[in-house]
Every structure is written in structure tokens, then in C-alpha cells.
Amino acid sequence: MTDYLNRTVDKAIENGDVEGIVVTGLTLKGIDILEKALDKYGDVQTASLVMSFIVPKRFKDHRVEDWVENYRSLMDRWQLWHERATFDIQRGKRMNSSEIAPPQVYVRCNHCAQSLGHSLVIQNARNREGKRMNVQTSNPGGRASSKQKSTVCPSCRKPLPRCALCLLHMGTPVDQLRQTIMTNDTHNIDPAGFDLWFTWCQTCRHGGHAIHMFEWFQKHSTCPVSNCSCQCQV
């Protein structure tokens, strides 16, 4: 029986027969089968999806890593960004915590340096007076998150920044604003919702909703905030 199974596996590897994975399982032999099948048919999607269940959680293999990166690049070229992001998220759930890169960018309060997402601990952060502090992620005073206003910092309760043009605070529900934009110009609506995300100048730190900033800088080059002469558009 052992000799028969070995011959079956060798034949599956030689022919790139993915049904041989029923015998090998998701092992190095299984990767050999998928590699041969990929060489014959070019189906990088199947190889990437199947092996993402165990690589790199169970073991590492540079071939699988190359397949995954090629698959991600392929989806980016096809502008399937949402699908690629979903793939990354689901793959990350099957990875060891040490394999997942920590977030590099996050939003925090200007007053207390608390992360607004409550999913991070910001070590050695500094407040506005320059004092070093470690930011906690728990809600202060045991307040229920469901009762917190979305327009204030959940830690220090101070208001979040306003859009420089419409003067709405970050976190303000935008359904009415979106309806107004659709009424005036349906071409300005981004189905993904990025048009109402906040963006800001890296020099003067002023900003607002992306669609408002875009419309402003189509006609102006300086910051929309009064008494600020920053050439944000440059």
C-alpha cells in the first residue's frame, strides 16, 4: 500500500494533478503538485488560496510566498482593491500574531494623543505640553462605547477637528451631507465613500472632507482656513 501511494503521489506531481492533494494533504508534497499545476495552467489564484490556509502558520515556503505576492499584484493591476484587501484580512486571520505587521498609521487625538480606534497602545507618546505618556486603550471611567459621541475624543472628551469648509466635526454622520452632494452633482459621489473621508495638509495640519478639499483647490492654492497662508496645494 505504501509503495502504491508513493507512486500515486509521484505521478500526481509529475502531471500536476491537483487531485493528488487528497493523498498528500496540504504538505510540501502538496506544494510540489500545485507548483507543477501552476506551471501548466497558470492558476495562481487556486494555489494562493489553498496554501494560505497553512502558510506561514504551519510552515514557510518561499514558493507559496511568491504565489501570494503575484496574486496580490494581479488583483491590484485589475483594480480589485476591495477583493485584495479581503484576501489580506482573511489570510491574516490564519497567520501567527508574530507574522502580522503592526499598523503603521493611525489617527489620534490632538489633545491627549489617545488612539481614536482604541485598538492600539501608543507608548511614549507626548501630550501638547511635551510630557511623555503611555496611552491606554480602555474607555476612561468605564463609559460604555455605545454612549460616546462620535464627534469627540473617547478619552479626553474634547471635540475632534472640523472640516475647514463645511465646519462639521470628524465623526459627524454624513448621510445628509451625501444626500446634498448627490442632489447637486451625482458625478462627485464616490461609491466607496472615500470622498467624505478626512484629509489634511502635512504642513499646516488643516483639512477636511476629501471632496471639499478637492473642490477648493480646483480654484485656490492656499489653505482654506482664515489667516493661514500655507500653500497646501503645492
Side-chain angles (χ1 to χ4, degrees):
M1 178 62 72
T2 301
D3 292 339
Y4 169 74
L5 291 177
N6 288 334
R7 290 196 303 271
T8 301
V9 170
D10 292 339
K11 185 176 180 180
I13 294 175
E14 181 181 357
N15 297 329
D17 185 0
V18 293
E19 292 184 355
I21 295 179
V22 175
V23 179
T24 64
L26 299 181
T27 61
L28 292 176
K29 290 289 187 180
I31 295 178
D32 292 337
I33 294 175
L34 288 173
E35 182 179 28
K36 187 65 175 182
L38 183 58
D39 292 340
K40 292 180 63 176
Y41 307 113
D43 186 4
V44 68
Q45 175 174 270
T46 298
S48 300
L49 293 178
V50 169
M51 297 312 301
S52 290
F53 280 94
I54 60 168
V55 177
K57 185 173 184 178
R58 300 293 183 183
F59 59 87
K60 294 184 179 181
D61 191 287
H62 68 89
R63 293 171 295 179
V64 177
E65 295 174 359
D66 290 341
W67 299 343
V68 169
E69 288 305 314
N70 287 330
Y71 180 48
R72 296 177 71 250
S73 298
L74 181 64
M75 286 192 286
D76 285 340
R77 287 198 299 271
W78 288 347
Q79 299 184 8
L80 298 175
W81 296 300
H82 289 188
E83 288 76 7
R84 195 264 301 156
T86 301
F87 171 69
D88 289 343
I89 293 172
Q90 295 301 322
R91 184 167 178 263
K93 292 179 180 179
R94 293 173 173 82
M95 297 171 65
N96 298 319
S97 58
S98 60
E99 300 286 346
I100 303 175
Q104 304 297 313
V105 178
Y106 48 85
V107 179
R108 66 181 184 181
C109 176
N110 290 331
H111 302 282
C112 67
Q114 166 71 55
S115 170
L116 300 182
H118 285 281
S119 59
L120 298 172
V121 176
I122 309 173
Q123 297 181 349
N124 297 325
R126 295 179 183 272
N127 59 18
R128 303 196 75 176
E129 287 73 32
K131 296 181 180 180
R132 191 179 298 275
M133 58 186 293
N134 288 333
V135 177
Q136 302 296 323
T137 59
S138 59
N139 290 334
R143 296 188 183 96
S145 59
S146 60
K147 296 182 180 180
Q148 292 180 348
K149 293 183 179 180
S150 59
T151 58
V152 300
C153 172
S155 178
C156 67
R157 313 298 294 173
K158 292 185 178 180
L160 298 179
R162 293 175 181 263
C163 173
L165 293 169
C166 72
L167 301 182
L168 291 178
H169 286 285
M170 177 188 293
T172 300
V174 295
D175 292 342
Q176 294 182 352
L177 178 59
R178 178 173 293 278
Q179 186 62 40
T180 301
I181 297 174
M182 290 180 63
T183 301
N184 296 331
D185 187 357
T186 57
H187 297 290
N188 279 339
I189 289 297
D190 180 0
F194 295 125
D195 52 347
L196 294 180
W197 280 32
F198 259 61
T199 183
W200 52 87
C201 173
Q202 296 299 308
T203 301
C204 67
R205 305 300 182 186
H206 296 140
H209 297 108
I211 188 172
H212 295 158
M213 295 296 102
F214 177 76
E215 292 175 349
W216 172 267
F217 287 115
Q218 282 185 320
K219 300 179 180 179
H220 308 83
S221 60
T222 58
C223 179
V225 175
S226 178
N227 297 326
C228 180
S229 58
C230 178
Q231 298 289 322
C232 301
Q233 189 179 29
V234 177

